[in-house]
Amino acid sequence: MMIGITGTPGTGKTTVAHELCARGHMVTALSTTITPYIIERDEVRDTLVIDEESWAREFPRVEGFVEGHLAHLLPCDLIVVLRCRPDVLAGRLRARGYPEAKVRENVEAEALDVALIETLEEFRGDQVLEIDTTERDFGECASLIEEFSQGKIPPSFGNIDWSGYLGEEV
Ligand SMILES: Nc1ncnc2c1ncn2[C@@H]1O[C@H](COP(=O)(O)OP(=O)(O)OP(=O)(O)O)[C@@H](O)[C@H]1O
Ligand SMILES: [Mg+2]
């Protein structure tokens, strides 16, 4: 089985993936697979532009967890969408030294449910688990993901509404 872990930058994908790895699961960090597909560096947005279509098309089928903000573009069997309340997400991104424009762009995307909406464009609802990481530590998140992947907890999504944070200072 291939299980994706996606979400806005800062929601904790890499952190939870490290924990899953420590628990003995196979984990692929998608950031290590994009190099051949880089088109350019977007200096203004301080981000890499990659040929997402070719990357997704040529991605080999792997076993275990695949972690990264483009995981929902891959043909995963199950997909986990990590979420984080916008004000808390802003704190995590600032702590990482992200410039303010990049903090705002990501916080806005999170408040607009962009990662979930993109996921639901590619997957059936019964393949999707949305996890609010705001008040869960990475160990709890890892346990939920393990249980979901084992069919012990059902798919669920759509219980998060952060529209109140849209356009707010965070
Ligand atoms: N469950 C959590 N609770 C509190 N803080 C967390 C949690 N998960 C991650 N963090 C913290 O949030 C920050 C971002 O986490 P992480 O790097 O795992 O995010 P990411 O989703 O992989 O981001 P990116 O898409 O940029 O790679 C880190 O400082 C991490 O310690
Ligand atoms: Mg990461």
Side-chain angles (χ1 to χ4, degrees):
M1 259 218 301
M2 184 159 93
I3 302 155
I5 303 174
T6 188
T8 309
T11 49
K13 301 176 295 293
T14 302
T15 306
V16 83
H18 278 150
E19 175 64 14
L20 289 165
C21 188
R23 293 184 187 187
H25 299 285
M26 306 250 290
V27 176
T28 303
L30 296 176
S31 57
T32 64
T33 67
I34 59 165
T35 312
Y37 303 97
I38 295 172
I39 298 168
E40 61 171 357
R41 168 167 273 289
D42 181 336
E43 296 293 345
V44 177
R45 291 176 59 236
D46 184 25
T47 183
L48 294 171
V49 181
I50 78 159
D51 179 353
E52 296 179 1
E53 218 167 278
S54 302
W55 169 78
R57 193 175 52 238
E58 292 168 16
F59 194 85
R61 232 199 120 65
V62 298
E63 273 302 305
F65 296 97
V66 294
E67 169 267 308
H69 72 283
L70 299 176
H72 57 277
L73 300 182
L74 299 178
C76 303
D77 299 293
L78 297 173
I79 183 92
V80 175
V81 185
L82 298 186
R83 305 299 304 271
C84 181
R85 212 175 66 212
D87 56 328
V88 173
L89 183 67
R92 291 188 192 175
L93 294 173
R94 286 190 186 113
R96 269 181 168 188
Y98 270 37
E100 219 30 48
K102 214 170 161 179
V103 171
R104 248 182 262 117
E105 178 184 326
N106 285 307
V107 162
E108 193 82 356
E110 181 63 13
L112 283 168
D113 306 325
V114 170
L116 177 67
I117 290 166
E118 288 184 6
T119 296
L120 293 174
E121 284 169 3
E122 308 293 334
F123 292 88
R124 302 185 313 268
D126 67 358
Q127 295 174 293
V128 180
L129 179 68
E130 188 178 36
I131 300 177
D132 183 357
T133 70
T134 310
E135 280 165 16
R136 288 190 172 97
D137 65 27
F138 62 83
E140 269 178 88
C141 296
S143 297
L144 287 173
I145 293 171
E146 279 180 319
E147 288 163 22
F148 177 57
S149 70
Q150 295 160 356
K152 291 179 186 164
I153 57 171
S156 76
F157 60 89
N159 303 311
I160 288 170
D161 178 5
W162 285 322
S163 56
Y165 290 89
L166 279 171
E168 290 291 305
E169 283 299 316
V170 285

